[in-house]
Each structure stands twice: as C-alpha cells, then as structure tokens.
C-alpha cells in the first residue's frame, strides 16, 4: 500500500487542433496502484453532483481541480466526467511514475502524451510532455 498522486488528463473527445488538458490532481493514501487509479476515476466522474464544482457525493477534498470551469453566458458549468481514452499519470513520490489510459474495463499502460495545463485564474496555457 502506497500514497499516490494522480494527474488526470482529459484526452478524449478533442476537437481538431485541440490538445489534451490536465483537469485534476488526486491524492490517495494507503491504496495499491489499482485501487488508486479506480479512486481517481470515481472522483473525477459526475455520478451524484459535480466533481469539479464540489457538489453532492462527487465532492472530494482529495481532488484538486486544475482546469477552469466552463463559462457560458456568464454561468459556470462543471467539467465532464473522466472517460475511456483519458489518461492518468501515477506518481508514488518515490521514483515510480507511469502513464495509464482509461480502458473499457480498467486501465492500460500507455506512452506519455502531450497535454496542456491551463491556469484557472489567468487562462494561460503551459504545454507538457509527460
């Protein structure tokens, strides 16, 4: 059992020319790798509320929202759920870092991907290769 930090990257459903974006950082403790990825998946899904707006049963203090909420006509909307094809970068803080893609069932190891980090305050973008 370990402590993991998992960066969740929304890489599915991209428009042409759009880059994947880091949307959350999930901190786990006392879990194995499988449990940690499942935990990050669960708490970046809108099951009973909104994970990114911290509403209902989806609110979780172990989830740091990295991306700005969606703004439309002056109203803020939460981010979408994590889906098949999205990516998780798992770091145990002790030298183990690996990248997994959300599969139809579970997670598959995958190559690192390019993604953007968008500052929620200034909307400036930093590109990263993980």
């Amino acid at each position: 059992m370990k402590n993991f930090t998992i960066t969740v990257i929304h890489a599915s459903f991209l428009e042409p020319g759009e880059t994947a974006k880091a949307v959350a950082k999930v901190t786990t403790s006392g879990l194995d790798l499988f449990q940690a990825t499942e935990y990050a998946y669960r708490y970046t899904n809108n099951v009973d509320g909104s994970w990114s707006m911290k509403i209902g049963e989806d609110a979780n203090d172990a989830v740091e929202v990295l991306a700005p909420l969606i703004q439309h006509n002056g109203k803020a909307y939460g981010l979408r759920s994590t889906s098949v094809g999205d990516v998780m970068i798992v770091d145990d803080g002790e030298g183990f870092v690996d990248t997994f893609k959300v599969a139809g069932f579970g997670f598959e190891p995958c190559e690192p991907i390019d993604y953007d980090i968008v500052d929620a305050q200034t909307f400036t973008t930093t590109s990263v290769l993980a």
Side-chain angles (χ1 to χ4, degrees), residues 24-102:
K25 189 164 286 201
V26 181
T27 305
T28 68
S29 61
L31 301 177
D32 64 29
L33 178 62
F34 174 77
Q35 292 168 328
T37 53
E38 287 289 332
Y39 184 89
Y41 179 80
R42 162 56 187 103
Y43 285 104
T44 57
N45 267 269
N46 301 309
V47 176
D48 183 26
S50 171
W51 72 267
S52 58
M53 294 180 75
K54 306 290 186 175
I55 297 171
E57 295 296 316
D58 298 334
N60 186 327
D61 291 337
V63 178
E64 177 187 357
V65 180
L66 299 179
L69 299 178
I70 298 163
Q71 303 291 324
H72 182 70
N73 292 334
K75 184 174 180 183
Y77 294 88
L79 302 174
R80 70 169 175 80
S81 293
T82 298
S83 301
V84 171
D86 289 334
V87 173
M88 295 187 182
I89 301 170
V90 180
D91 185 340
D92 75 352
E94 298 176 7
F96 172 84
V97 177
D98 209 348
T99 306
F100 297 90
K101 185 177 282 193
V102 179

Side-chain angles (χ1 to χ4, degrees), residues 9-24:
I9 301 166
H10 282 177
S12 294
F13 313 115
L14 299 177
E15 298 292 328
E18 190 178 10
T19 304
K21 290 180 181 52
V23 295

Side-chain angles (χ1 to χ4, degrees), residues 113-126:
I113 66 165
D114 291 320
Y115 66 96
D116 290 341
I117 298 173
V118 180
D119 184 288
Q121 303 300 317
T122 65
F123 293 95
T124 56
T125 301
T126 305

